[in-house]
Amino acid sequence: MGLSSLVFPEFHTLGFSDLLVFVAPLWIAVAAGVLVGWVWRPKWAYLSGDESKLFPDSPKFFNPLNLQLPTSILKTSSHVNPSLSSKEKSGFVTDDDFRHLWKLVEVKDGGPCWIQMMDRSTPTFSYQAWRRDPENGPPQYRSRTVFEDATPEMVRDFFWDDEFRSKWDDMLLYSSTLERCKSTGTMVVQWVRKFPFFCSDREYIIGRRIWDASRVFYCITKGVQYPSVPRQNKPRRVDLYYSSWCIRAVESKRGDGEMTSCEVLLFHHEDMGIPWEIAKLGVRQGMWGAVKKIEPGLRAYQRAKAAGAGLSPSASMAQINTKVSAEEFMNERDSIAEVTGEKPTGKSIPKILVVGGAIVLACTLDKGLLTKAVIFGVARRFARMGKRM
């Protein structure tokens, strides 16, 4: 349930004039770029692959087929590299990631205010979405989805199940498990997602792990560095990626007091290499159409499990969770910070040194009150700056 699923899949529902207004400037820019690039093309544009290294003067033309995704990668597979230790594998997603998600859920992360974008519902689920624009970085999205007659465990497994995801997420071209730790449930997976014709497909290397706080599941997925999978020209790799959920039982909207519904709080942002304003336009236009595809997928998943379908390898990893009491964990971390005097960033300037130095300087330079006042004022300003650093 990533942002890329919401940006472009419903563009075909727009009117022709709306689509023309959106696409025409892109095609004009592409045509101009191709014309300029052809006139000023460098010599290496004629070459392909390793031939450019072996025959630097060869006039062979660049072959665009070399950059396409091989057909062997267009199916879901699972490949586990056992080279890393359990400690190294669990290091892809850490307690700090859990702490950050908890703050997002509790609205204690200190970020900008959320602006509501959408509030829609059907008889079987409801959906609300918000957006905020940080000073630096892509737009961030928050959504709240409530599925009727669903358990947190079922929804958790559903979102983790890459093998089943291809049945309802038509943007997922390829998925592979690169690493997994059976003691912490940490996984590293590779995704390739389909993008529209005017964009290349996108590759994601994702670390993920789940914390269980008494059936409140904190499911973290984020982009991680994985040098053993080399970077390619196509599909284009997305480095900045964050998509995490809090999944928990809530009361049904039927008002019977039963906790038979499941709430999913999603926090998502990524830098897809698309101008952020264009990405925001795509999200606004395609969000509801993309979200509506999730609920039928979940119902199909429920029916498959009721019919006795077993767990896929990725869904079985969703059941390996780190047990935690969220309140005790946060209180413990806060206590450690108070005892050790941890600061988020920077270093403190001891106030006594600043003020003491100002006193010596004032007495040395001048006995006038004006000079002393100026120096002491500067000292106080630096002391306050030291506190903030």
Side-chain angles (χ1 to χ4, degrees):
M1 192 163 64
L3 175 61
S4 53
S5 301
L6 305 178
V7 174
F8 294 111
E10 296 299 318
F11 263 49
H12 63 275
T13 63
L14 300 177
F16 177 78
S17 60
D18 295 331
L19 186 61
L20 184 62
V21 169
F22 177 78
V23 174
L26 294 176
W27 277 114
I28 293 173
V30 170
V34 170
L35 179 61
V36 174
W38 182 255
V39 173
W40 296 97
R41 64 191 184 280
K43 292 182 178 180
W44 52 260
Y46 287 105
L47 304 176
S48 62
D50 294 333
E51 296 175 359
S52 60
K53 298 179 181 179
L54 299 176
F55 307 104
D57 297 325
S58 175
K60 295 182 179 180
F61 284 90
F62 174 75
N63 183 5
L65 296 178
N66 290 339
L67 298 181
Q68 295 182 357
L69 195 66
T71 56
S72 61
I73 207 172
L74 298 182
K75 60 181 180 180
T76 299
S77 65
S78 178
H79 172 70
V80 180
N81 184 349
S83 59
L84 298 182
S85 66
S86 296
K87 182 177 181 180
E88 290 172 321
K89 292 176 184 178
S90 63
F92 285 112
V93 186
T94 67
D95 287 345
D96 287 337
D97 295 304
F98 164 68
R99 181 181 177 89
H100 176 62
L101 177 57
W102 183 89
K103 287 184 176 182
L104 287 171
V105 171
E106 301 298 326
V107 197
K108 295 182 178 180
D109 67 306
C113 294
W114 295 98
I115 302 172
Q116 188 164 15
M117 300 172 55
M118 183 173 294
D119 188 350
R120 304 284 291 270
S121 63
T122 71
T124 54
F125 87 108
S126 60
Y127 180 78
Q128 297 170 297
W130 298 262
R131 191 196 78 234
R132 68 183 183 184
D133 298 305
E135 293 183 3
N136 298 308
Q140 298 178 359
Y141 294 89
R142 174 181 182 264
S143 67
R144 178 180 183 266
T145 308
V146 178
F147 298 102
E148 293 291 314
D149 301 314
T151 65
E153 291 80 5
M154 181 68 69
V155 175
R156 174 201 64 190
D157 295 351
F158 169 69
F159 282 126
W160 232 241
D161 196 329
D162 288 345
E163 290 81 359
F164 191 85
R165 176 179 284 269
S166 59
K167 298 181 180 180
W168 61 271
D169 185 355
D170 55 8
M171 291 187 67
L172 183 64
L173 293 178
Y174 169 77
S175 67
S176 174
T177 300
L178 304 175
E179 296 283 351
R180 62 184 176 199
C181 176
K182 293 187 176 181
S183 61
T184 65
T186 302
M187 300 179 68
V188 178
V189 300
Q190 180 188 21
W191 282 7
V192 176
R193 299 187 67 79
K194 182 181 179 180
F195 271 57
F197 62 92
F198 51 82
C199 296
S200 61
D201 296 334
R202 295 299 193 264
E203 177 196 36
Y204 300 79
I205 305 296
I206 301 170
R208 58 191 192 185
R209 183 179 173 187
I210 300 175
W211 277 259
D212 177 6
S214 300
R215 296 188 70 225
V216 177
F217 298 106
Y218 294 86
C219 309
I220 295 171
T221 70
K222 66 173 189 176
V224 297
Q225 296 298 317
Y226 200 79
S228 62
V229 177
R231 190 181 298 269
Q232 306 176 58
N233 290 331
K234 291 187 178 180
R236 179 174 178 174
R237 182 169 297 180
V238 175
D239 292 309
L240 178 57
Y241 176 82
Y242 182 86
S243 189
S244 299
W245 308 272
C246 175
I247 302 175
R248 57 193 175 192
V250 294
E251 184 179 349
S252 170
K253 69 178 181 180
R254 291 188 289 265
D256 53 10
E258 298 295 326
M259 304 287 283
T260 55
S261 296
C262 180
E263 176 191 68
V264 179
L265 296 176
L266 167 69
F267 299 89
H268 185 106
H269 64 269
E270 63 179 287
D271 190 351
M272 298 175 287
I274 297 173
W276 295 340
E277 292 302 320
I278 294 179
K280 288 195 292 186
L281 172 63
V283 170
R284 286 195 300 269
Q285 299 294 340
M287 177 177 286
W288 178 239
V291 169
K292 287 193 297 184
K293 296 180 181 179
I294 299 174
E295 200 256 351
L298 173 62
R299 303 309 175 187
Y301 195 72
Q302 288 177 311
R303 291 192 295 270
K305 296 309 173 188
L311 289 173
S312 68
S314 55
S316 64
M317 293 297 295
Q319 302 193 357
I320 305 175
N321 307 151
T322 302
K323 305 292 184 179
V324 64
S325 169
E327 291 75 13
E328 292 181 3
F329 177 84
M330 300 307 294
N331 291 336
E332 180 182 354
R333 291 295 299 267
D334 292 340
S335 299
I336 293 174
E338 290 177 2
V339 171
T340 59
E342 291 181 358
K343 299 291 182 181
T345 57
K347 298 180 180 179
S348 297
I349 300 176
K351 184 175 180 180
I352 189 171
L353 293 180
V354 176
V355 176
I359 294 174
V360 173
L361 181 62
C363 296
T364 302
L365 291 179
D366 196 342
K367 295 182 180 180
L369 293 178
L370 180 60
T371 304
K372 291 183 175 65
V374 172
I375 294 176
F376 280 123
V378 173
R380 283 195 298 271
R381 175 64 59 87
F382 274 96
R384 286 196 294 270
M385 290 175 60
K387 287 184 178 180
R388 294 194 296 267
M389 293 178 62

